[in-house]
Amino acid sequence: MVMEFARFTVHEGAEAEMVADRPAMLAALRARFPGCLAAYLTKEDDDTWLDVILWRTRADADQSAREIITIPECAAWLSHIAKAGGLRHAEVLDAWPAP
């Protein structure tokens, strides 16, 4: 498994709408990419956001990164992002509870 970490800021005044749009975005993402196992949206103390997604494989994560903008619900959700702060991946070596 692979964890994906995407850090970003949100356009001023768009936070509530972004959170409200998330269920539709995740449903579309999971329908297109069944390797998406879980997703966690976090807001940090400095008002940056971190989206953490658990993928079955790195290939699943990479394919999503290439194609996500072609999914209308995902493209709409991404439009709330003011500034991207990078995308990182880490291999999951141990987990509790086990997914």
Side-chain angles (χ1 to χ4, degrees), residues 12-84:
E12 189 172 329
E15 291 182 359
E17 187 176 358
M18 180 194 67
V19 171
D21 290 349
R22 189 160 173 86
M25 182 277 288
L26 287 175
L29 183 74
R30 292 182 68 219
R32 177 82 169 266
F33 304 108
C36 179
L37 303 176
Y40 307 89
L41 181 64
T42 68
K43 185 176 181 183
E44 300 182 12
D45 291 339
D46 66 356
D47 287 333
T48 60
W49 295 73
L50 184 66
D51 203 357
V52 181
I53 299 179
L54 180 63
W55 293 98
R56 184 170 288 119
T57 68
R58 178 63 188 260
D60 291 329
D62 290 343
Q63 181 183 10
S64 170
R66 287 190 305 272
E67 299 176 16
I68 193 168
I69 199 72
T70 66
I71 304 168
E73 296 88 347
C74 295
W77 191 82
L78 291 169
S79 73
H80 298 301
I81 294 175
K83 182 178 178 186

